[in-house]
Amino acid sequence: MKENVTLNNSEWCIMEELWREQPKTLMQLVHKMKEKQGWSKSTTSTVLRRMQEKGCIRYEEGEKARNYFTDLSREAVVLKETRAFLNRACGGSLGMLVSTFVEGNQLTEEEIEELREILHRNA
């Protein structure tokens, strides 16, 4: 994934389907996006084309249809998107992000305990 590429909500929907199982044909994606998003075939095709141009997905010609793949791991994309959000919203400060949630009473006791465990494991 190129450094300046980010995924919009529509692209996330497609990526989630490909991470769940790949390859998928155009028609498999069309049916899933119709079911989940209410998209038409042309909308799904347009999103796929744009994602291809961005380097997020690729296709290979199959016997009857194109098979769509992504070589991007979910973990790598989540990390990149999280860093981009952190930089944009909090000036890159993880402390600011966490304190915003804590001070706004947005974290449950379970989430706070989960954070403690993560910090303890990685300390």
Side-chain angles (χ1 to χ4, degrees):
M1 198 165 166
K2 299 173 187 170
E3 282 299 310
N4 60 349
V5 173
T6 57
L7 298 176
N8 63 37
N9 290 339
S10 299
E11 293 163 342
W12 270 103
C13 292
I14 298 280
M15 292 299 283
E16 290 290 349
E17 285 303 315
L18 291 174
W19 285 323
R20 204 173 334 279
E21 180 184 3
Q22 61 180 329
K24 283 202 181 338
T25 65
L26 171 63
M27 290 314 294
Q28 287 173 317
L29 289 166
V30 165
H31 291 299
K32 282 291 186 184
M33 294 302 105
K34 174 77 171 166
E35 175 186 313
K36 290 184 171 191
Q37 302 295 109
W39 294 355
S40 66
K41 181 180 178 183
S42 64
T43 299
T44 301
S45 295
T46 298
V47 173
L48 287 170
R49 182 180 44 78
R50 288 181 182 159
M51 291 176 74
Q52 224 178 308
E53 290 168 357
K54 289 169 85 171
C56 301
I57 63 169
R58 64 182 170 81
Y59 70 86
E60 294 175 4
E61 294 292 345
E63 283 184 34
K64 296 182 180 181
R66 289 180 176 174
N67 292 307
Y68 287 88
F69 298 84
T70 182
D71 295 326
L72 305 174
S73 73
R74 188 178 202 294
E75 294 76 17
V77 175
V78 168
L79 180 61
K80 183 189 173 305
E81 292 282 332
T82 301
R83 284 185 179 149
F85 171 77
L86 189 61
N87 287 332
R88 186 175 61 251
C90 300
S93 171
L94 180 59
M96 179 186 282
L97 176 71
V98 173
S99 70
T100 299
F101 279 99
V102 170
E103 291 170 8
N105 296 318
Q106 299 294 312
L107 295 177
T108 65
E109 286 299 322
E110 293 81 21
E111 291 169 327
I112 292 169
E113 185 56 36
E114 184 180 358
L115 284 172
R116 281 188 186 113
E117 289 174 15
I118 291 168
L119 291 171
H120 181 71
R121 276 195 314 263
N122 294 298

